[in-house]
Amino acid sequence: GIVGIAIGFASQTSVSNVISGLFLLSEKPFAVGDVIRVGDKTGIILSIDLMSIKIRTFDNLFIRLPNEKVLNTDVVNITRFPIRRLDLSISVGYKEDIGRVRTLLAEIARDNPYALREPEPLVLFQNFGDSGMEFLLGVWFLKTDFALLKNSLAQAIKERFDAEGVEIPFPHRSLYAGAKTAPFPIRIVNDESR
């Protein structure tokens, strides 16, 4: 009886995976060679079978995902379309001029060899953050150029901001000990012997 129940549960899971596999094969939300994200797993599809799909992660791990899980989970097909947009969040100091920062970011994006001219780059002022003003830089690119664009754009922003004297802030914290507590003593020592 226990063996029969175990076989029943196993066959129920198998049938569910096969039915899910038929749905995936007919709907075709992805194909072999696409890069997908299922939950916290991201990788290149190696095969799509009736029972499962197999993916290879970018650190060369093999993952088998049951079709039922894939069908019941949000699946992001990262490489479905030929172009994508890379969104970078950039923070600058409060002393900076918003218009100047927007102009610099637009120029950096236009000068990048991996960024597409159309659709044109997007520069938005997003937020007054804890340590600085936050901007969104959205740059369109060919899906094959993701790593090249991301690395070169980040490097270009840092180099250009350094050259132009634009501050990239780090988190600032103020310590408040309360009204009844004396302030923390601070002493600056200038040691000329070093």
Side-chain angles (χ1 to χ4, degrees):
I2 293 173
V3 171
I5 292 171
I7 291 172
F9 276 122
S11 63
Q12 179 183 358
T13 302
S14 297
V15 168
S16 177
N17 278 324
V18 169
I19 292 170
S20 298
L22 291 172
F23 278 119
L24 289 174
L25 289 171
S26 64
E27 188 182 65
K28 298 181 181 170
F30 41 74
V32 173
D34 282 348
V35 177
I36 64 167
R37 181 170 54 242
V38 181
D40 62 344
K41 311 280 191 280
T42 302
I44 301 167
I45 298 176
L46 300 175
S47 70
I48 305 167
D49 304 319
L50 281 178
M51 296 287 287
S52 64
I53 66 168
K54 281 91 174 177
I55 66 172
R56 180 173 54 87
T57 64
F58 293 110
D59 55 351
N60 211 28
L61 297 176
F62 176 85
I63 299 177
R64 178 188 171 276
L65 297 169
N67 286 336
E68 182 181 22
K69 178 180 179 179
V70 173
L71 196 65
N72 293 327
T73 308
D74 290 339
V75 177
V76 178
N77 189 334
I78 296 171
T79 54
R80 175 76 174 229
F81 302 111
I83 66 170
R84 289 179 51 203
R85 191 177 82 189
L86 172 69
D87 289 342
L88 289 178
S89 293
I90 297 124
S91 184
V92 299
Y94 277 108
K95 70 178 180 63
E96 304 301 336
D97 177 78
I98 292 175
R100 179 171 174 253
V101 171
R102 290 185 63 180
T103 301
L104 286 174
L105 289 173
E107 288 174 3
I108 292 166
R110 276 195 300 270
D111 293 344
N112 191 290
Y114 305 107
L116 297 177
R117 302 293 175 253
E118 284 293 325
E120 67 180 52
L122 173 71
V123 181
L124 293 176
F125 175 79
Q126 275 195 307
N127 196 12
F128 291 104
D130 291 339
S131 301
M133 297 182 292
E134 297 171 359
F135 290 81
L136 170 75
L137 175 62
V139 180
W140 291 91
F141 64 97
L142 294 174
K143 66 182 179 181
T144 53
D145 293 338
F146 172 73
L148 295 169
L149 175 73
K150 187 171 183 183
N151 287 331
S152 62
L153 202 56
Q155 182 176 341
I157 290 169
K158 174 72 168 98
E159 289 172 355
R160 183 73 182 272
F161 279 13
D162 285 350
E164 298 282 340
V166 175
E167 177 193 3
I168 299 175
F170 57 89
H172 297 85
R173 296 287 179 254
S174 297
L175 298 176
Y176 176 67
K180 302 279 184 191
T181 309
F184 293 113
I186 296 176
R187 190 178 70 160
I188 298 174
V189 176
N190 185 5
D191 189 356
E192 302 271 335
S193 63
R194 289 184 182 183

